[in-house]
Amino acid sequence: TVSSAMTIIRSPDLPTGSHGMKTRTVAASSNWRPILFITGLMLVMLLVWPTLAADNKSDDPHADVFSESSYPSATECAKCHKDIYEEWRSSSHAYAAISPVFHKFEQAINNLAPTIGNFCVRCHAQAGTQMGEKREAPLWERSQVSREGITCITCHRVDEAYLKVNGERRIVPGDMFQPVFGPTGGKGVAEVIKDKDFYKVATAKGERGNEIHLSAIKFSQLDKSEFCGACHQVAVNLGIKLEVVWDQYRASPARAAGTTCQDCHMSSEPGKAVGFATGPAAVVGGKEFNPGRKRHNHAMVGPGYPIAHPGIFPHNGAAENWTIEEWLQFDYRAGWGTEEFEEKVDEGEIEDKFPEAWEDVGDREEAREIIEDNLDKIDEKKDLRLQAMENGSKIDGPFFDGGKGVGQSLAFSYKITNINPGHNLPSGSLGAQPEIWLNVALIDPDGKNIWESGYVDSVGDMADLHSQDVLDGKLAHDDQLFNLQTKFLTTNVKGTDREMYLPVNFDVDQLPFLRPAPQPTTVINHPPFVRMEGRSIPPLGSRMAEYKVPGDLITKPGKYRLAVRMRSRAEPIYFMKFIGATQDMIRSMNEWMLDIHPYTVEFEVK
């Protein structure tokens, strides 16, 4: 018997039913073919809809607003966490998605090896990546929270423990009211919410007051070094490790002693595990909450530094009145908005055609205030960077070997010690890019520089095989250069391996492709055809820099001086040219070149 809700359909290829007929049962109210079609269409839509939504979210006028509300900006957090925001806004974390060098490099390596995809931006702009922003999108097409790089929610809205994942972490999406995760619980938050009218905070949409997260949950991994390892230990598919900080730390005396990354990089003294400052985690309605608690420094002091336009970085809420494109048109180096410049414009001494966004003198003056505020923050960062570098290194010497007389060769050395117990000198991103080298000069009794090692060429590069002036024969190769920079070595179509700008070997194939090795890297201890030659000094290790000055340069008796300094720069200029950096980027990179432990010693030559 067939129920009233079903019907019998004759079909020659179906099993025989109880009435001797071949039957199939379907809903009586519809035909089976449309049902199968609709069901299949729904399955297809479920599979492809996320992709279509990501590609076409700009067609939906609400999509951007919804996405950004699920990933709150640091500007929102600053309302209660002003001191922490002030530390963070000039940090390398805040700079991660702004860095023009990063964007140039990231595009260059994708041009060479298109299979890289969004590998880099998922760390540098995690929020933007989760929001579906395209890898190649310029800054002015990205959302504000995406441009904030490693912003508040990148760390404080992560609820899973990660480690060896090459930056493949996930921010928990949600509006401002969603829980945050920290090293302690949320007693202060609970107190504020209990008397929310007094503190003038909003706990739901539509309420008056500053929106506030409704709870703070203790996340046990946040104050452990493993939390940092997810982004600071990065390997590409060839086996090359572009970030090696975790490997170095894992085998270091610091880890053996129980010292964490946070103990040094968020301490009260840059680069030293001397404890933390104390202070309130938040100030709400003028009241300090937990005023005596341990306060981690969110400046995350290290060797990195910014070279972006100071209207774009450091992060500054007031700067959001203008777009990224408009800021890039603001000539801060020419003095726009300063009293002296604007007086000359008024008096006709300067005839300048300003872009439309900057035609109004009031706008230029307001922008100049933002620029000056940001430049002050950058100066603070320079001081902290120098402290971190000097707290992690030491120079001893000179130690003379032999006599000191006219016409005699002068042999001497310096001892360079890495007093940082946590990682190598240098360490950092893109293993082969951070530069540290020794610059030594001998000055004769007349004050003339008669010999030098560690000098730079006309664009600022060391005088090694990467210097264009050396290759052109305009400058002598520095045969005694003491350089701690790691180098990429690649084997190309023919010949032996050679130093290269990036760990990508040239290929005869028309389509660039990073081919994994046919054998494990453990067999030969490095990826074939591409490897890194490390020259850095391990934790608490030391190395001697040995020099010899020819006797024919020492022509008169008297007091000579040996001047020494360790020099540091984030990127070589030859690398910046390779990735297509602008002249202003190169200029800024050289302006940030750091002199560490400079000193001079006098000695007598007879």
Side-chain angles (χ1 to χ4, degrees):
T1 304
V2 181
S3 72
S4 61
M6 311 298 288
T7 186
I8 297 175
I9 300 177
R10 299 176 183 272
S11 176
D13 55 354
L14 292 177
T16 301
S18 60
H19 294 280
M21 301 175 62
K22 296 179 179 179
T23 63
R24 176 181 359 185
T25 57
V26 297
S29 59
S30 62
N31 186 279
W32 64 279
R33 295 180 187 276
I35 288 178
L36 290 177
F37 174 78
I38 293 170
T39 303
L41 182 61
M42 289 175 66
L43 288 171
V44 170
M45 291 303 292
L46 285 171
L47 291 171
V48 304
W49 178 253
T51 303
L52 293 174
D55 290 341
N56 298 303
K57 70 183 183 73
S58 58
D59 298 336
D60 181 356
H62 306 290
D64 289 333
V65 176
F66 177 78
S67 295
E68 289 204 50
S69 66
S70 295
Y71 299 91
S73 164
T75 308
E76 296 299 310
C77 305
K79 295 172 183 177
C80 296
H81 304 281
K82 188 175 187 303
D83 289 345
I84 293 175
Y85 169 80
E86 282 296 317
E87 293 166 352
W88 168 84
R89 75 182 184 94
S90 60
S91 69
S92 294
H93 276 175
Y95 185 60
I98 290 289
S99 168
V101 173
F102 164 72
H103 285 284
K104 289 285 188 180
F105 154 76
E106 197 268 348
Q107 187 58 53
I109 199 168
N110 268 282
N111 290 341
L112 288 168
T115 51
I116 294 292
N118 71 345
F119 183 82
C120 302
V121 294
R122 70 188 188 194
C123 254
H124 283 255
Q126 179 67 63
T129 302
Q130 287 189 215
M131 289 163 63
E133 293 180 353
K134 294 182 179 179
R135 175 202 64 78
E136 68 277 11
L139 288 178
W140 46 88
E141 291 180 7
R142 292 184 175 273
S143 61
Q144 173 58 44
V145 68
S146 176
R147 291 196 295 265
E148 291 171 10
I150 316 302
T151 187
C152 308
I153 59 171
T154 311
C155 292
H156 291 283
R157 285 267 281 267
V158 173
D159 64 349
E160 295 181 66
Y162 296 91
L163 183 56
K164 296 181 178 179
V165 291
N166 278 352
E168 194 68 31
R169 294 195 303 190
R170 289 291 181 270
I171 298 169
V172 178
D175 59 24
M176 195 64 192
F177 307 113
Q178 298 303 309
V180 296
F181 301 87
T184 61
K187 292 182 180 178
V189 179
E191 182 182 340
V192 172
I193 293 174
K194 185 178 180 180
D195 200 0
K196 68 175 188 177
D197 292 333
F198 176 80
Y199 291 111
K200 296 180 176 59
V201 296
T203 58
K205 285 290 183 185
E207 293 183 356
R208 298 184 65 181
N210 292 333
E211 294 184 353
I212 184 175
H213 47 82
L214 302 185
S215 65
I217 302 171
K218 181 177 173 59
F219 180 41
S220 60
Q221 200 197 40
L222 192 60
D223 57 0
K224 294 180 172 59
S225 298
E226 284 78 2
F227 189 77
C228 309
C231 279
H232 289 280
Q233 182 69 29
V234 179
V236 294
N237 64 336
L238 287 175
I240 288 288
K241 295 177 180 177
L242 296 182
E243 288 265 6
V244 294
V245 182
W246 170 257
D247 270 357
Q248 294 171 358
Y249 166 77
R250 186 172 54 182
S252 72
R255 192 190 188 200
T259 304
T260 67
C261 304
Q262 294 87 337
D263 287 337
C264 287
H265 289 279
M266 303 183 78
S267 70
S268 58
E269 187 174 348
K272 282 190 172 185
V274 294
F276 302 94
T278 57
V283 178
V284 186
K287 179 181 177 180
E288 296 182 347
F289 283 85
N290 304 318
R293 64 161 279 181
K294 180 169 62 177
R295 267 273 285 107
H296 295 87
N297 189 335
H298 284 67
M300 295 283 183
V301 180
Y305 53 86
I307 63 166
H309 190 291
I312 297 173
F313 187 84
H315 186 272
N316 192 318
E320 295 173 23
N321 292 328
W322 291 276
T323 67
I324 297 292
E325 290 172 298
E326 288 169 343
W327 273 117
L328 292 176
Q329 297 171 352
F330 188 89
D331 191 350
Y332 75 97
R333 292 189 186 274
W336 288 11
T338 61
E339 184 177 347
E340 181 182 4
F341 178 87
E342 299 303 340
E343 283 181 359
K344 290 181 178 180
V345 171
D346 287 341
E347 295 170 2
E349 295 181 33
I350 295 178
E351 293 184 7
D352 206 338
K353 183 174 176 58
F354 298 101
E356 182 178 353
W358 303 112
E359 289 178 345
D360 183 79
V361 62
D363 286 339
R364 295 198 300 273
E365 290 173 342
E366 184 180 346
R368 172 52 63 173
E369 290 181 8
I370 295 170
I371 291 285
E372 293 301 328
D373 179 61
N374 282 356
L375 289 175
D376 288 342
K377 290 298 294 184
I378 289 174
D379 285 340
E380 289 178 20
K381 185 173 180 63
K382 283 183 177 179
D383 292 339
L384 292 173
R385 176 180 170 235
L386 179 60
Q387 291 179 47
M389 297 300 289
E390 292 196 335
N391 285 338
S393 60
K394 183 183 179 184
I395 304 175
D396 292 304
F399 305 104
F400 294 97
D401 183 13
K404 298 185 281 291
V406 173
Q408 295 180 10
S409 295
L410 182 67
F412 60 95
S413 61
Y414 289 92
K415 183 180 180 180
I416 313 302
T417 303
N418 176 12
I419 59 176
N420 184 325
H423 50 70
N424 290 26
L425 179 72
S427 187
S429 64
L430 282 182
Q433 299 311 329
E435 295 180 298
I436 289 184
W437 73 100
L438 215 57
N439 183 205
V440 184
L442 179 63
I443 297 96
D444 71 6
D446 297 329
K448 182 181 178 183
N449 185 345
I450 60 173
W451 173 90
E452 186 175 0
S453 178
Y455 51 87
V456 297
D457 65 13
S458 58
V459 297
D461 275 324
M462 289 175 273
D464 60 8
L465 295 177
H466 285 296
S467 166
Q468 191 60 49
D469 286 355
V470 170
L471 296 175
D472 291 342
K474 299 177 181 178
L475 187 67
H477 182 271
D478 191 348
D479 296 330
Q480 301 188 62
L481 176 64
F482 181 84
N483 180 16
L484 297 177
Q485 177 193 5
T486 298
K487 298 286 188 177
F488 289 126
L489 299 180
T490 70
T491 302
N492 302 318
V493 177
K494 62 180 181 179
T496 59
D497 55 14
R498 57 172 289 187
E499 292 181 3
M500 280 298 295
Y501 315 107
L502 290 171
V504 179
N505 51 312
F506 291 122
D507 202 308
V508 293
D509 198 312
Q510 292 180 339
L511 177 65
F513 184 65
L514 293 180
R515 292 175 176 81
Q519 69 274 5
T521 57
T522 52
V523 174
I524 55 177
N525 204 33
H526 64 78
F529 311 121
V530 182
R531 60 191 177 93
M532 291 171 67
E533 182 183 40
R535 302 176 183 177
S536 57
I537 302 175
L540 306 184
S542 61
R543 191 169 303 159
M544 300 301 295
E546 299 180 347
Y547 301 99
K548 190 173 184 179
V549 180
D552 58 6
L553 296 179
I554 303 174
T555 59
K556 59 180 67 175
K559 282 190 176 180
Y560 284 71
R561 288 178 292 152
L562 268 175
V564 64
R565 58 184 175 177
M566 187 184 294
R567 310 205 79 185
S568 171
R569 183 172 52 194
E571 307 287 349
I573 303 306
Y574 66 79
F575 172 77
M576 296 188 68
K577 288 188 171 184
F578 174 74
I579 62 175
T582 65
Q583 285 301 312
D584 190 71
M585 289 169 62
I586 291 172
R587 175 181 176 179
S588 296
M589 185 64 69
N590 279 327
E591 287 174 344
W592 271 85
M593 196 184 300
L594 194 64
D595 293 335
I596 308 164
H597 306 301
Y599 66 92
T600 302
V601 171
E602 287 188 348
F603 62 95
E604 191 78 23
V605 170
K606 297 181 180 180

